[in-house]
Short mmCIF file of all heavy atoms in Angstrom, two decimals:
data_model
loop_
_atom_site.label_atom_id
_atom_site.label_comp_id
_atom_site.label_asym_id
_atom_site.label_seq_id
_atom_site.Cartn_x
_atom_site.Cartn_y
_atom_site.Cartn_z
N PRO F 96 -2.60 -9.94 -11.09
CA PRO F 96 -2.71 -11.38 -10.87
C PRO F 96 -1.55 -11.99 -10.07
O PRO F 96 -1.67 -13.09 -9.56
CB PRO F 96 -2.76 -11.97 -12.27
CG PRO F 96 -3.03 -10.86 -13.20
CD PRO F 96 -2.54 -9.63 -12.53
N ILE F 97 -0.46 -11.27 -9.96
CA ILE F 97 0.74 -11.78 -9.28
C ILE F 97 0.75 -11.24 -7.85
O ILE F 97 0.77 -10.02 -7.65
CB ILE F 97 2.02 -11.33 -10.01
CG1 ILE F 97 1.97 -11.77 -11.46
CG2 ILE F 97 3.25 -11.87 -9.30
CD1 ILE F 97 3.02 -11.11 -12.32
N PRO F 98 0.74 -12.11 -6.83
CA PRO F 98 0.80 -11.60 -5.47
C PRO F 98 2.17 -11.04 -5.15
O PRO F 98 3.18 -11.73 -5.18
CB PRO F 98 0.47 -12.83 -4.60
CG PRO F 98 0.63 -14.00 -5.49
CD PRO F 98 0.59 -13.55 -6.90
N THR F 99 2.24 -9.73 -4.88
CA THR F 99 3.47 -9.05 -4.58
C THR F 99 3.28 -8.15 -3.37
O THR F 99 2.17 -7.95 -2.89
CB THR F 99 3.96 -8.18 -5.74
OG1 THR F 99 2.93 -7.24 -6.04
CG2 THR F 99 4.25 -9.03 -6.98
N ASP F 100 4.38 -7.57 -2.88
CA ASP F 100 4.30 -6.57 -1.84
C ASP F 100 3.71 -5.29 -2.41
O ASP F 100 3.65 -5.12 -3.64
CB ASP F 100 5.66 -6.27 -1.24
CG ASP F 100 6.22 -7.44 -0.46
OD1 ASP F 100 5.41 -8.26 0.04
OD2 ASP F 100 7.46 -7.57 -0.35
N GLU F 101 3.33 -4.38 -1.53
CA GLU F 101 2.73 -3.13 -2.02
C GLU F 101 3.78 -2.30 -2.75
O GLU F 101 4.97 -2.28 -2.40
CB GLU F 101 2.08 -2.36 -0.92
CG GLU F 101 3.01 -1.82 0.13
CD GLU F 101 2.30 -1.03 1.20
OE1 GLU F 101 1.09 -1.23 1.37
OE2 GLU F 101 2.96 -0.24 1.85
N PHE F 102 3.35 -1.61 -3.77
CA PHE F 102 4.23 -0.77 -4.56
C PHE F 102 4.32 0.63 -4.00
O PHE F 102 5.34 1.29 -4.14
CB PHE F 102 3.73 -0.65 -6.00
CG PHE F 102 3.80 -1.94 -6.78
CD1 PHE F 102 2.90 -2.19 -7.81
CD2 PHE F 102 4.76 -2.89 -6.52
CE1 PHE F 102 2.96 -3.36 -8.53
CE2 PHE F 102 4.82 -4.07 -7.24
CZ PHE F 102 3.92 -4.30 -8.27
N ILE F 103 3.23 1.12 -3.40
CA ILE F 103 3.15 2.51 -2.99
C ILE F 103 2.49 2.60 -1.62
O ILE F 103 1.64 1.78 -1.28
CB ILE F 103 2.38 3.31 -4.05
CG1 ILE F 103 2.54 4.80 -3.87
CG2 ILE F 103 0.94 2.92 -4.07
CD1 ILE F 103 2.06 5.59 -5.07
N SER F 104 2.94 3.57 -0.83
CA SER F 104 2.34 3.78 0.49
C SER F 104 2.12 5.26 0.68
O SER F 104 3.03 6.04 0.45
CB SER F 104 3.25 3.23 1.55
OG SER F 104 2.74 3.48 2.84
N PRO F 105 0.99 5.68 1.10
CA PRO F 105 -0.29 5.00 1.30
C PRO F 105 -0.85 4.52 -0.01
O PRO F 105 -0.59 5.09 -1.07
CB PRO F 105 -1.19 6.06 1.95
CG PRO F 105 -0.48 7.36 1.84
CD PRO F 105 0.92 7.09 1.44
N PRO F 106 -1.64 3.42 0.02
CA PRO F 106 -2.10 2.80 -1.22
C PRO F 106 -3.01 3.68 -2.05
O PRO F 106 -3.03 3.57 -3.28
CB PRO F 106 -2.82 1.55 -0.76
CG PRO F 106 -3.07 1.71 0.70
CD PRO F 106 -2.08 2.70 1.21
N TYR F 107 -3.79 4.55 -1.43
CA TYR F 107 -4.64 5.50 -2.15
C TYR F 107 -4.18 6.91 -1.82
O TYR F 107 -3.71 7.18 -0.72
CB TYR F 107 -6.11 5.33 -1.73
CG TYR F 107 -6.66 3.95 -2.06
CD1 TYR F 107 -6.76 2.99 -1.06
CD2 TYR F 107 -7.08 3.62 -3.36
CE1 TYR F 107 -7.27 1.75 -1.34
CE2 TYR F 107 -7.56 2.38 -3.63
CZ TYR F 107 -7.66 1.43 -2.63
OH TYR F 107 -8.17 0.19 -2.93
N VAL F 108 -4.32 7.81 -2.75
CA VAL F 108 -3.82 9.18 -2.57
C VAL F 108 -4.55 9.89 -1.42
O VAL F 108 -3.98 10.73 -0.74
CB VAL F 108 -3.93 9.98 -3.88
CG1 VAL F 108 -5.37 10.27 -4.26
CG2 VAL F 108 -3.11 11.26 -3.82
N TRP F 109 -5.79 9.53 -1.11
CA TRP F 109 -6.54 10.19 -0.07
C TRP F 109 -6.33 9.55 1.30
O TRP F 109 -6.80 10.10 2.30
CB TRP F 109 -8.03 10.22 -0.41
CG TRP F 109 -8.58 8.87 -0.75
CD1 TRP F 109 -8.99 7.92 0.12
CD2 TRP F 109 -8.78 8.32 -2.05
NE1 TRP F 109 -9.43 6.81 -0.55
CE2 TRP F 109 -9.32 7.04 -1.89
CE3 TRP F 109 -8.56 8.80 -3.33
CZ2 TRP F 109 -9.62 6.22 -2.96
CZ3 TRP F 109 -8.89 7.99 -4.40
CH2 TRP F 109 -9.40 6.72 -4.20
N ASP F 110 -5.65 8.42 1.37
CA ASP F 110 -5.34 7.80 2.69
C ASP F 110 -4.20 8.55 3.33
O ASP F 110 -3.20 8.89 2.69
CB ASP F 110 -4.91 6.34 2.48
CG ASP F 110 -6.08 5.42 2.27
OD1 ASP F 110 -7.23 5.87 2.42
OD2 ASP F 110 -5.84 4.27 1.91
N ARG F 111 -4.34 8.83 4.61
CA ARG F 111 -3.28 9.51 5.40
C ARG F 111 -2.74 10.67 4.60
O ARG F 111 -1.57 10.75 4.25
CB ARG F 111 -2.20 8.49 5.77
CG ARG F 111 -2.76 7.34 6.56
CD ARG F 111 -1.72 6.41 7.17
NE ARG F 111 -0.67 5.94 6.34
CZ ARG F 111 -0.62 4.74 5.78
NH1 ARG F 111 -1.63 3.90 5.95
NH2 ARG F 111 0.43 4.36 5.07
N PHE F 112 -3.63 11.64 4.34
CA PHE F 112 -3.36 12.74 3.43
C PHE F 112 -2.14 13.57 3.85
O PHE F 112 -1.47 14.13 3.01
CB PHE F 112 -4.62 13.64 3.34
CG PHE F 112 -4.64 14.53 2.15
CD1 PHE F 112 -4.96 14.06 0.90
CD2 PHE F 112 -4.33 15.89 2.29
CE1 PHE F 112 -4.98 14.88 -0.21
CE2 PHE F 112 -4.36 16.72 1.18
CZ PHE F 112 -4.67 16.22 -0.05
N SER F 113 -1.87 13.65 5.11
CA SER F 113 -0.76 14.50 5.55
C SER F 113 0.59 13.82 5.43
O SER F 113 1.62 14.45 5.68
CB SER F 113 -0.97 14.92 7.00
OG SER F 113 -0.99 13.80 7.84
N GLU F 114 0.62 12.54 5.05
CA GLU F 114 1.88 11.83 4.88
C GLU F 114 2.35 11.89 3.43
O GLU F 114 1.55 11.88 2.51
CB GLU F 114 1.73 10.36 5.28
CG GLU F 114 1.44 10.20 6.75
CD GLU F 114 1.29 8.74 7.12
OE1 GLU F 114 1.85 7.89 6.40
OE2 GLU F 114 0.64 8.47 8.13
N ASP F 115 3.64 11.90 3.26
CA ASP F 115 4.22 11.89 1.91
C ASP F 115 4.18 10.51 1.32
O ASP F 115 4.20 9.50 2.04
CB ASP F 115 5.65 12.41 1.97
CG ASP F 115 5.72 13.89 2.28
OD1 ASP F 115 4.76 14.60 1.95
OD2 ASP F 115 6.72 14.31 2.88
N THR F 116 4.10 10.47 0.04
CA THR F 116 4.05 9.21 -0.71
C THR F 116 5.42 8.60 -0.76
O THR F 116 6.44 9.26 -0.94
CB THR F 116 3.53 9.47 -2.14
OG1 THR F 116 2.28 10.13 -2.04
CG2 THR F 116 3.36 8.18 -2.89
N ARG F 117 5.45 7.26 -0.60
CA ARG F 117 6.71 6.54 -0.68
C ARG F 117 6.49 5.33 -1.60
O ARG F 117 5.41 4.76 -1.65
CB ARG F 117 7.18 6.20 0.72
CG ARG F 117 7.42 4.79 0.99
CD ARG F 117 8.10 4.59 2.32
NE ARG F 117 7.16 4.12 3.30
CZ ARG F 117 6.73 4.79 4.32
NH1 ARG F 117 7.08 6.02 4.52
NH2 ARG F 117 5.88 4.30 5.16
#
Side-chain angles (χ1 to χ4, degrees):
I97 304 167
T99 59
D100 291 335
E101 66 179 21
F102 292 151
I103 194 167
S104 177
Y107 299 100
V108 70
W109 53 82
D110 282 350
R111 302 189 312 259
F112 198 78
S113 63
E114 295 180 24
D115 291 330
T116 304
R117 124 170 104 250

